[in-house]
Amino acid sequence: MDISINNRFNKLEFLKGQFLSEKLRSRLLAMLIFFIVARYQTMSLHYLVYKGSMVMTGVLAGILILDSISKYKPIHYIIFGLFAVQMLIIKNPNLLYVYFLSLAFIDCDMFYVIKVYMVSNVIFFAIYMTMNITGLRETEFVKGRNDFGYGNPNSAFIAMFTIWISYLYCKFDDLELIDIVILLFFALLMYKQTNTRTGLITVVAVTAIIPFVKFLRIDNKFMKISITSIPILISLLSLVIAFVFKENSFLNDVLSSRPLYWNRYLTHPVNGLTLFGHPSDVKEYLFVPKLPFDSGYLTLMYTFGIFGFVIFIGLYSYTIYKLCSENRKRDIIFIIAIQIYAFAESMFTDIATNLAIVLIVTAMSSISLGRSCERRKKCKKV
């Protein structure tokens, strides 16, 4: 009888979570970050490694989520349910997958996460550089642009950028002139090889705004609203360019024909912009030859529809507002950098290239649906 009671009690304790020690949880979190990076970095390297990394991210995230089960609020389950319904409608699990992985990072030490993220990206970047130099993976891109074996020069610069922004994050509080020089030097060196204007413009823009973010208070009302509105403003700008300036020769030249491509996706007579989005392989059979989308915001809107876009951007903007309220400057500069880059690169909803997504889950914890319901009841009584 006693053994049976103890077993039931242990099962109940397991359902409450927190069965992992802090040391083991940190190690599993580090492994999860490594495999998140591996899934992205090996996409063009080896199919089995890519698939294996994806499976490992799911398993590790599942364990960490079970351990943190008591920390989630009703809003976390509601968003999960909404993304699950959307997945069933459009047969595209990517947004649900990203959200599922981000749940594993609730209440995590972001500094620790970024350090592991940086080291993981350095490992894979070094592997690609070595394979490219030794001829195991030769540059495939033409017109004198080096892709370092990534298959695309833009992908190579993004791989470097993940290291660049991670280093900036870790050094932000103690940033010195020599750090700025090092960061700009490697960005310029990478640009000379890849000729990726989007990456260089992002690096220069972020470097320019560092002094403003570093020395100004970002928790006042004006700054909070200004920074929070960035993803919404960039989204609106992207839509205006796609619909109004689609044939503007200057913008198409500067943005490598992106306005024209954006318009073709969004206005397609059969598979254009919709409420819920499209299957994950829509670009494979719809556009021949394949047209690059290269816009994080419009890719989000097109692939996951207006429904997914509104939820994601809403949560993302709320997270930015919370970070500003807490005056967390290193997190804000990290997010701003990704937002600028995502204007002309499809990297917004991939957790491997936008690790700021993991901050959304913690920010959501401050949304209490129960309190709002109680307030409504009190108002009715009055």
Side-chain angles (χ1 to χ4, degrees):
M1 287 292 292
D2 290 339
I3 295 174
S4 177
I5 293 172
N6 286 332
N7 285 339
R8 289 178 184 177
F9 178 77
N10 289 334
K11 286 179 181 179
L12 289 172
E13 287 298 307
F14 179 82
L15 291 174
K16 291 179 181 178
Q18 297 181 326
F19 51 86
L20 298 174
S21 66
E22 284 298 320
K23 188 175 182 179
L24 180 56
R25 182 175 174 80
S26 294
R27 288 180 177 177
L28 291 176
L29 188 63
M31 290 173 63
L32 174 60
I33 298 164
F34 177 82
F35 281 109
I36 284 173
V37 173
R39 184 193 65 82
Y40 173 77
Q41 294 272 5
T42 60
M43 200 176 297
S44 63
L45 193 63
H46 198 289
Y47 180 76
L48 290 178
V49 178
Y50 162 71
K51 280 296 183 182
S53 298
M54 181 178 286
V55 171
M56 286 302 298
T57 58
V59 171
L60 291 167
I63 295 171
L64 290 167
I65 288 170
L66 285 174
D67 184 61
S68 305
I69 200 73
S70 61
K71 297 180 181 180
Y72 300 115
K73 300 290 180 68
I75 186 65
H76 292 111
Y77 298 107
I78 290 171
I79 297 299
F80 186 89
L82 290 174
F83 286 156
V85 170
Q86 184 192 37
M87 179 195 70
L88 295 174
I89 293 173
I90 65 172
K91 304 297 187 291
N92 188 339
N94 291 336
L95 197 56
L96 181 64
Y97 168 74
V98 169
Y99 179 70
F100 179 76
L101 294 186
S102 67
L103 287 172
F105 290 83
I106 191 167
D107 293 339
C108 66
D109 180 356
M110 195 62 180
F111 193 85
Y112 171 76
V113 168
I114 296 294
K115 283 199 297 183
V116 177
Y117 177 70
M118 179 172 64
V119 172
S120 301
N121 277 296
V122 166
I123 291 171
F124 283 101
F125 192 73
I127 290 172
Y128 270 97
M129 295 300 103
T130 303
M131 294 178 71
N132 185 243
I133 292 171
T134 57
L136 293 175
R137 281 187 67 84
E138 296 181 356
T139 296
E140 299 176 4
F141 220 74
V142 293
K143 299 179 181 178
R145 300 177 66 190
N146 192 354
D147 66 13
F148 291 101
Y150 278 91
N152 190 304
N154 294 341
S155 299
F157 200 100
I158 290 174
M160 186 282 300
F161 180 76
T162 58
I163 301 169
W164 188 92
I165 192 61
S166 299
Y167 180 83
L168 176 60
Y169 184 95
C170 293
K171 291 286 291 182
F172 186 77
D173 288 341
D174 304 310
L175 202 62
E176 297 179 1
L177 181 61
I178 185 63
D179 297 308
I180 298 294
V181 172
I182 291 171
L183 288 168
L184 287 175
F185 172 77
F186 279 104
L188 288 168
L189 184 65
M190 198 67 181
Y191 171 75
K192 188 175 181 180
Q193 290 290 315
T194 61
N195 195 27
T196 302
R197 288 176 295 179
T198 305
L200 182 64
I201 290 170
T202 301
V203 166
V204 173
V206 172
T207 305
I209 65 175
I210 286 173
F212 297 97
V213 175
K214 201 170 179 64
F215 297 109
L216 291 176
R217 290 197 65 84
I218 61 172
D219 57 350
N220 63 66
K221 189 175 181 180
F222 175 78
M223 290 299 293
K224 284 192 290 187
I225 293 174
S226 299
I227 297 173
T228 300
S229 64
I230 290 176
I232 299 170
L233 292 175
I234 295 180
S235 300
L236 292 174
L237 176 63
S238 302
L239 285 171
V240 169
I241 292 174
F243 286 104
V244 180
F245 299 102
K246 61 181 183 296
E247 295 180 357
N248 184 283
S249 57
F250 174 75
L251 285 176
N252 273 292
D253 182 57
V254 172
L255 296 172
S256 303
S257 299
R258 283 179 174 88
L260 183 61
Y261 296 153
W262 294 347
N263 183 268
R264 288 191 181 181
Y265 275 101
L266 297 176
T267 61
H268 191 275
V270 178
N271 292 288
L273 184 62
T274 64
L275 179 61
F276 291 106
H278 300 283
S280 54
D281 62 343
V282 63
K283 289 185 287 185
E284 300 295 326
Y285 65 79
L286 184 58
F287 295 97
V288 181
K290 297 173 188 175
L291 301 178
F293 213 136
D294 290 341
S295 168
Y297 299 89
L298 295 185
T299 299
L300 168 66
M301 188 181 296
Y302 177 80
T303 308
F304 302 109
I306 297 172
F307 176 82
F309 175 83
V310 169
I311 294 176
F312 186 89
I313 292 296
L315 292 173
Y316 203 76
S317 298
Y318 178 77
T319 301
I320 295 171
Y321 188 85
K322 287 290 294 181
L323 293 172
C324 287
S325 300
E326 297 168 8
N327 208 37
R328 291 171 58 176
K329 295 183 177 182
R330 70 165 79 233
D331 292 308
I332 287 298
I333 202 73
F334 188 80
I335 287 181
I336 289 175
I338 294 169
Q339 288 180 104
I340 295 172
Y341 210 140
F343 169 71
E345 285 294 342
S346 302
M347 56 184 289
F348 206 46
T349 55
D350 192 331
I351 197 170
T353 52
N354 183 7
L355 200 63
I357 292 174
V358 305
L359 293 167
I360 291 176
V361 174
T362 301
M364 288 168 61
S365 297
S366 63
I367 302 175
S368 180
L369 301 178
R371 288 179 183 176
S372 61
C373 291
E374 287 177 7
R375 287 173 184 171
R376 287 177 186 174
K377 289 179 181 178
K378 288 179 181 179
C379 290
K380 287 181 180 179
K381 288 179 180 179
V382 173

